[in-house]
Each structure stands twice: as structure tokens, then as C-alpha cells.
Amino acid sequence: MSGPGRIMKKEIKELLTPATIVPIIIMAVLFASLGGAFNGVREQLENKPEFGLAVDDAGTFGILARESFNSTSNIIYNATSLQDGLQALQDGKCGQALVYIPGNYTANLMNNKTGWVDVYWMKKGTGLTASVQTALVQASITSMGKAVSTYMIVYGVTTNSSLILSPIQTYSTTYLNDKVMPGITPDQVDTVFTSSSLIVPLIVMLVVIMAGSMVINSMGSEKENKTLETLLTMPVKRTWIVFGKLAGATVVGLIVAGIYMIGMGYYLSSLMAGSTIDLAKYGLTLGMGDYVVIGVSLFLALLCGLALCMILGIFTKNFKAAQTMVLPVTMLAIIPMLISMFSDFNSLPLFLQIAVFAIPFSHPMFAFNNIMMGNYMIVFAGIAYMAVFALAAMFIAVYLFRKDILLTGRVRSAERKKGFSLINLPGWKK
Amino acid sequence: MFAVEVKGLVKDYGQFHAVKGISFDVKEGEVFGLIGPNGAGKTTTLRVLSTLLEISGGKVSIFGLDLKEQAGEVRKVISYLPEDAGAYRNMTGREYLDFMAGFFAPEKDPKKLLERGLEIVRLGERIDDKIETYSKGMARRLLVGRALMVEPKLAILDEITSGLDVVNAQAIRKVVRDRTKEGTTVLLSSHNMLEVELMCDRIALINDGVIVESGTPKELKERYKATNIEEVFVEVVK
Ligand SMILES: Nc1ncnc2c1ncn2[C@@H]1O[C@H](COP(=O)(O)OP(=O)(O)O)[C@@H](O)[C@H]1O
Ligand SMILES: [Mg+2]
């Protein structure tokens, strides 16, 4: 074989190892399943939207509205008073939204005034699925408006062209948990949510990858320089060596997280300065306790990542091998970050929920949204899970630190059979 | 009491028997050499004795301490210098010695250890340079200094001069001999059969995981009517 060919073959052989391929395959499978989740969203788009309708107006346009909605949408609850409608919305009988046609609706339209339609949104999730639902309901209302325009032209209700072009307007009120936000659409809430809930996942991902590779690289270079052997013969408990290494990386990780947080917090606040709504006005902010919870979650995620990297580091032979060992951890950190960009935990299909829950780093990534949505259970379950995960990983690391594998790496028995013999000579000849 | 007592030591790597039941002992205060070709099992033996690898079979005691049961205690009396060892490259020589000395507090005064270390190393002003700028000989001096500054009861030195030029090798040998006169027992390994004649009170020849001969260099040469240990080795494994 020619020179370049030989070199190429060697390079390919070195690069295509299970350590590099397996994470990529896992990544591909996860993306494929994420695609499945998006397909589900598309199917929703093709279905009629479901919502509740309360028509308090017995006039022509009230009847027209009811007919229009019945043809374009699936009206799952019908009422004639706002009170009944809102009760049904609270009880979950209206799905995501209640459209209310007030009593003066026909009268307004007949008198050359805009017909106001009130929409009450019950916000249950953030992310793609939720915003698709919102858009569908809004589309139904738009097409109802067109029906009004047509009617006005056919029956010559008015000559006011601007009214004919947009005869109706909507006023939204959004309910989130027990909070009421008049004049706010769910989309606006989503915008604020996604931008603020983006920082934490990004920081978690960056910090886990950085601090994690630090631990693995440190193990790799300690093995390569044999400084690990020297360290292990010092009169120190192995447990303390493991904890010392972890603690060092944790401190660095937290410092880096702090720096990122300050930087990105500043970036975000300047971004938010132009934002139209201030969620804090509606009590939608995190309290001191919530920040502590997110902090604890982040700390534990970092610890899980580092302990995991320590275990991987134990199997690393040298600095070069350490580079590939970082890959699985990088993947584990990137996957939940990407998912958190598209969706919130509650809107994920069950198997993805399980996968996301199992990856310890995902918990702080979803913590912001979960706390905002009042899903404290998942947040605390995640913290408990991470605590157990970190402890177990540290326990395994300490255990492996006492084993030959720390210095010898994996021993492939098949390769080593050549020296097989049963002689057990006491070689001390006097 | 022997400094080191090894009885029927076996060490396997998975299915592979690297050390096949060797026995030897090292008397207090002597320099004992484990001599053999590459792959004979010297490093494996020394790593086991340094508490780095688990024993697969047999029994080892170091100054009366059982290696398996009292590994923590053993670490307090030994000092191990790995083959081809390096140091933390971004530290200076002084920082490195200081870092290592700290592990022996409070039993030993780290300041005194550092002082002794600097004396052994004798790197002059270069001691405050980063280790990554050191030559191979300087780095080895530093590591030997690290190993001997604690005045261990037993120094386990693996191939201390391998890869060094004649001048540096000789300097290292001298440091080891000089610094171990007062009460330090030395167990060293080498594949350089001429070197051990210069350094060791007693030696054991190891080949393919088995000790094939042992005694003082003089005894062995007489027994095989050889002029040096290399000839003895060739004769023994024939
Ligand atoms: N980590 C390991 N895994 C498997 N076999 C090993 C390992 N380390 C050493 N060996 C084998 O054990 C034998 C003895 O090696 P070693 O003790 O390093 O010899 P020496 O130090 O005398 O040159 C060799 O055949 C070597 O290939
Ligand atoms: Mg060796």
C-alpha cells in the first residue's frame, strides 16, 4: 500500500474506536426520537384545535361565531356565561383555552365598533407543543373574524372599510399556576421563559464539560508522567486522594459557573430591557429559596459529572486517551441542553422523560422551568437522584482507586494467554 | 528482622503470570538489587511491594508489616520511585519537593524534609525553574531527591539510571549510595548488570517472572567463574 494510504488506515483505526462511535450512535438515536416528538407536534397541527366556548351574546354575530368555531374547531365545552366557562377552564374541561364572546359583541359590531373577543389561556407547559396549541386557537379566531367580514359585506352591515377588514380583536388573559396575567398571551410568557431558561442549561453544559475534562485530563497526565504512582505511595488514604481531586475540580467548576452566570446574567438583562412584559409584575419570579434550589441542583450536577469523569479517568491510560474519554460526558451534557431548548420536561414523551431524568446534568437545566411551572416534585426528586448518583459514583471511584485497574488499565485476557503456565517455583536457590 | 521478606510472591495480570512465585529477603541497611532483562517482572514486583498492585499469591512483609493487611502503615516507611517517573511539570523543583513533603506532616517536619531534599538535589538556581524546562538528568535528580528526602526506612527505586548518560548515571548512583548510608535500606531494580555490581550488596537475578539465582555479586561471579554479572546471567539462563 502507498504511503498516504498506510497513514490514512492507521489514523482511521485510531479514531474509529468504540469510545468515539458509541456516543455518536446514542446521540443519533436520541435525535431521531426527538424528531419523533416533533412529528407528534406536526400531527397536532393537522388536527382541529380543542377549546371551550362561552357565548354570552344571542345576537347575529354571536350565532355566527358559534357556527364558525364549530366548523373550524373542536369545541369541547359550551357555555353561555363567562363564569361557567372559567369554572370549566379551571376544571380542565376546556383544554388550553376558553374563548368568550361577551354580551355586547353583536351590538358593538352593528354600531361600527370593534367586536372584542376574550381568550382565557390555561398555561400548562412551555416549549414547542404548548405554543403550537396556542397558534391553533388563534388561527380559529382569525378565521372566525373572516366570517364576520364576509357577513358584513354580504349583508351591508357597514361601509367602514377598516372595520370590515378587521372587525374583531382579542384580549388575552393567561393563567399560570395560580397566577393571572391580564393582557398577556402565552407566547409572550414563552419568550421570557425560553430566554431565561436557556442560560442555566448552557452554563451547566459548559461547566460540566470543562470541569469534567479537567478531571479526566488530570488523570491521564498523572498516569502518563507516573506521578499518580508516586502519589499513591504517599502516606495518604486513597479516599482523600479521590476527594481532593474532586474538590479541586469542583471549586474550579463553581468559579467558572459563577463567571458565566455573571456574564450571561448581564447579557440577559440587557436583552430583557427591551422586552414588552415584565413577569415579575405577576409574581412570576424566583424567590431566594428557588435560587438556592437551583444552586444546589447545579452543584450536585457538577459533582455527578466530576465523579463520573473520575471513573472514566481511572480507565484512561494516558493524556491522549483522555481526550476521547471526555466525549461520552460531553454528549451527556449536550443532549439535555438541546432538549431543554425545544421543550420542557412535562411536554416530553415518557421515554425521553426517563432518559432525561437519568442524565444527572439535566436536572438543573430543567429546574428553572419546572420551578416556574410549580413542578417542585420533579426538581426535588432530581436533587435526591443526583445526590444518590454522586455518592454512588464517588464510592465506585474510591473502590476502583484501590484496584490494579487504576494503574494497569483494562487487561485483555485473550492477549495475555501466551505466558500461561502453572509453574510456581520458589526461585530462591541457596 | 528483615527489611523485606517475600515468600512465594505471585502476580498475575488477568490470565498472564508476570511474577511466578518468587521469594527473597532484604536485610536492614543493605542495598539489594533485582536484576533481569526487560519484561522479567522487576517493575511488577516493585509495584506490588510499594502497595500499588494487589498480591495475587504469596506473602510479603516489610519491616514486619504485612503488605496486604497494613498497606497504610507500609506506605509510611517506604519511598517508591517509579521507572520513567515524571513530576508535575508546571511546578518548580522547589514547589514539587514542598508539595510532596507536605504529605508527611505531622509525623515529619515538612520544612526539614524540604531542606534535605534541596541538599540532595543540588540544582542551584534552577530549583526555582519550572520542571518542564529540566533536562532528563536534572529531573531524575529531583525525583531521587524527592524519594530520599523523607529518609525512608526502605527506598524502592525502579531503574533509576535508565535513559541517562554515563555522567548523569554516575552522579545518581553516588547520590543514592551516599544518602542511604545512614539507616535506609534500598531495594532497586536494573537491567544494567554492570551497574548493580557497583551499587548492590546483594542481588537476585530474575528472568521470566522467576528468580533464577541470588547472592553477593562476588559469590555469584565465583560460583559461575565469570568476570561480571552479565556473564553470570547468560550462564544461569542457558
Ligand atoms: N499492565 C500490564 N498488563 C499486562 N501485562 C503487563 C502489564 N504490565 C506488565 N506486564 C507484563 O508483565 C511482564 C513483566 O513486566 P515488568 O514487570 O514491567 O518487567 P520489567 O520491569 O522487568 O521490565 C511483562 O511480560 C509485561 O509485558
Ligand atoms: Mg521495569
Side-chain angles (χ1 to χ4, degrees):
Chain A
M1 202 189 278
S2 65
R6 294 174 71 83
I7 294 168
M8 188 177 101
K9 204 173 146 196
K10 169 193 156 279
E11 292 295 315
I12 290 174
K13 227 170 144 183
E14 265 175 22
L15 294 173
L16 283 186
T17 61
T20 56
I21 297 301
V22 170
I24 292 168
I25 291 173
I26 292 173
M27 187 86 164
V29 168
L30 263 156
F31 266 104
S33 46
L34 211 60
F38 289 145
N39 267 338
V41 172
R42 187 162 343 110
E43 274 159 28
Q44 280 176 15
L45 264 173
E46 283 154 11
N47 288 342
K48 286 179 172 180
E50 289 185 347
F51 56 90
L53 181 63
V55 181
D56 202 358
D57 177 27
T60 325
F61 287 111
I63 295 164
L64 182 69
R66 195 187 289 281
E67 277 173 3
S68 167
F69 284 131
N70 274 328
S71 69
T72 57
S73 321
N74 188 7
I75 303 303
I76 49 177
Y77 185 83
N78 254 306
T80 49
S81 81
L82 179 59
Q83 226 160 5
D84 290 352
L86 285 180
Q87 188 57 50
L89 184 67
Q90 295 287 350
D91 296 345
K93 288 183 202 149
C94 294
Q96 242 220 136
L98 173 76
V99 175
Y100 172 61
I101 307 290
N104 57 2
Y105 176 72
T106 303
N108 278 340
L109 284 170
M110 287 301 187
N111 290 321
N112 245 334
K113 286 188 202 151
T114 305
W116 282 93
V117 176
D118 293 342
V119 190
Y120 296 87
W121 305 95
M122 180 59 73
K123 191 153 179 53
K124 295 222 179 64
T126 58
L128 207 57
T129 321
S131 50
V132 163
Q133 291 279 1
T134 311
L136 286 174
V137 175
Q138 275 161 344
S140 283
I141 296 170
T142 308
S143 86
M144 188 273 273
K146 283 193 183 128
V148 173
S149 301
T150 312
Y151 186 94
M152 282 177 154
I153 293 165
V154 170
Y155 293 94
V157 175
T158 179
T159 50
N160 180 346
S161 56
S162 67
L163 185 68
I164 290 174
L165 283 175
S166 63
I168 60 163
Q169 281 197 41
T170 51
Y171 182 82
S172 288
T173 302
T174 300
Y175 294 86
L176 182 74
N177 303 328
D178 46 0
K179 288 164 191 114
V180 187
M181 292 176 278
I184 303 285
T185 63
D187 289 354
Q188 288 172 305
V189 179
D190 270 340
T191 314
V192 178
F193 260 46
T194 27
S195 41
S196 17
S197 63
L198 213 65
I199 312 181
V200 180
L202 207 63
I203 291 175
V204 172
M205 182 202 73
L206 290 173
V207 169
V208 164
I209 291 175
M210 197 222 62
S213 47
M214 219 168 60
V215 167
I216 297 183
N217 286 338
S218 145
M219 288 296 287
S221 72
E222 286 236 27
K223 285 193 186 185
E224 193 161 311
N225 294 326
K226 306 255 174 110
T227 47
L228 186 63
E229 287 185 36
T230 313
L231 201 58
L232 293 173
T233 56
M234 290 290 119
V236 214
K237 283 213 166 66
R238 302 271 159 104
T239 317
W240 295 131
I241 296 178
V242 175
F243 283 170
K245 281 187 166 291
L246 284 179
T250 307
V251 168
V252 174
L254 288 177
I255 290 173
V256 171
I259 293 171
Y260 277 139
M261 222 167 284
I262 292 166
M264 292 197 189
Y266 183 75
Y267 160 78
L268 195 79
S269 65
S270 43
L271 204 73
M272 282 289 118
S275 165
T276 46
I277 60 163
D278 179 13
L279 287 183
K281 219 164 71 193
Y282 307 104
L284 258 187
T285 41
L286 299 184
M288 203 53 213
D290 295 329
Y291 278 113
V292 170
V293 169
I294 291 182
V296 167
S297 184
L298 195 139
F299 171 76
L300 283 173
L302 181 61
L303 210 58
C304 287
L306 294 179
L308 199 64
C309 288
M310 182 62 92
I311 295 175
L312 290 172
I314 288 170
F315 293 91
T316 311
K317 285 201 193 77
N318 50 42
F319 196 73
K320 189 173 173 233
Q323 309 301 311
T324 38
M325 284 285 194
V326 178
L327 212 61
V329 179
T330 307
M331 295 288 161
L332 282 182
I334 288 178
I335 290 166
M337 197 220 43
L338 287 177
I339 294 177
S340 80
M341 284 168 71
F342 293 117
S343 187
D344 68 325
F345 188 80
N346 274 346
S347 324
L348 292 174
L350 183 67
F351 75 97
L352 266 183
Q353 275 187 342
I354 293 170
V356 163
F357 194 93
I359 300 173
F361 324 129
S362 66
H363 295 284
M365 296 184 180
F366 289 90
F368 181 87
N369 258 338
N370 278 332
I371 287 178
M372 281 293 220
M373 303 296 295
N375 299 327
Y376 282 92
M377 270 303 288
I378 295 171
V379 179
F380 288 124
I383 285 180
Y385 170 75
M386 286 189 290
V388 172
F389 188 103
L391 276 178
M394 284 194 275
F395 186 82
I396 292 170
V398 168
Y399 173 80
L400 289 174
F401 247 72
R402 300 208 177 101
K403 295 277 144 196
D404 282 4
I405 196 143
L406 178 60
L407 293 177
T408 58
R410 251 178 326 142
V411 178
R412 292 204 196 107
S413 46
E415 277 178 13
R416 293 279 161 207
K417 277 217 172 109
K418 69 170 173 69
F420 191 83
S421 84
L422 289 171
I423 22 168
N424 211 350
L425 289 173
W428 186 244
K429 292 185 199 162
K430 260 265 137 83
Chain B
M1 184 173 60
F2 286 113
V4 181
E5 245 183 308
V6 178
K7 286 209 183 85
L9 174 66
V10 178
K11 179 61 202 174
D12 305 330
Y13 292 113
Q15 299 267 348
F16 176 68
H17 305 293
V19 173
K20 304 165 183 170
I22 61 171
S23 301
F24 63 91
D25 39 45
V26 181
K27 290 176 199 138
E28 245 180 280
E30 78 178 345
V31 177
F32 187 93
L34 213 50
I35 319 306
N38 294 328
K42 304 182 294 294
T43 298
T44 304
T45 306
L46 297 190
R47 278 172 148 192
V48 169
L49 264 54
S50 310
T51 74
L52 289 173
L53 298 180
E54 295 163 291
I55 296 183
S56 307
K59 196 170 155 48
V60 176
S61 64
I62 291 176
F63 287 101
L65 299 164
D66 185 81
L67 190 67
K68 215 170 182 171
E69 308 296 326
Q70 295 164 284
E73 293 299 307
V74 169
R75 274 177 220 138
K76 287 185 185 157
V77 300
I78 63 164
S79 197
Y80 172 61
L81 179 56
E83 177 180 16
D84 306 323
Y88 299 105
R89 298 167 56 81
N90 56 350
M91 287 187 188
T92 67
R94 187 191 299 274
E95 282 167 354
Y96 177 69
L97 290 180
D98 188 46
F99 173 71
M100 290 314 233
F103 287 112
F104 294 86
E107 281 93 348
K108 293 177 183 171
D109 178 9
K111 274 209 188 91
K112 284 226 176 77
L113 299 189
L114 175 61
E115 228 168 77
R116 195 176 305 119
L118 293 173
E119 214 174 281
I120 300 170
V121 172
R122 283 191 196 284
L123 282 176
E125 285 174 3
R126 296 297 308 275
I127 194 74
D128 290 311
D129 288 348
K130 287 244 177 344
I131 293 173
E132 60 192 355
T133 68
Y134 287 7
S135 72
K136 209 167 183 178
M138 289 164 71
R140 196 63 61 89
R141 283 259 279 276
L142 180 71
L143 291 167
V144 169
R146 193 281 301 160
L148 299 181
M149 71 179 174
V150 297
E151 292 193 317
K153 287 173 88 173
L154 173 67
I156 301 175
L157 312 173
D158 198 0
E159 308 267 10
I160 38 166
T161 62
S162 87
L164 295 187
D165 61 52
V166 195
V167 178
N168 273 306
Q170 208 160 46
I172 292 284
R173 274 183 220 124
K174 185 164 157 30
V175 167
V176 171
R177 279 243 77 141
D178 289 352
R179 289 289 155 178
T180 53
K181 272 179 197 148
E182 323 88 22
T184 292
T185 307
V186 179
L187 170 58
L188 59 80
S189 85
S190 183
H191 66 274
N192 180 342
M193 313 225 175
L194 302 175
E195 156 173 296
V196 298
E197 282 195 68
L198 299 167
M199 293 194 70
C200 302
D201 301 316
R202 274 191 318 131
I203 58 175
L205 302 182
I206 181 167
N207 188 37
D208 205 8
V210 179
I211 288 185
V212 286
E213 208 22 302
S214 67
T216 66
K218 194 158 163 275
E219 268 173 28
L220 292 180
K221 279 189 284 188
E222 280 168 9
R223 197 177 304 160
Y224 289 91
K225 300 189 176 52
T227 52
N228 60 42
I229 298 297
E230 226 166 67
E231 285 177 24
V232 173
F233 188 84
V234 171
E235 199 61 31
V236 171
V237 296
K238 210 159 56 180

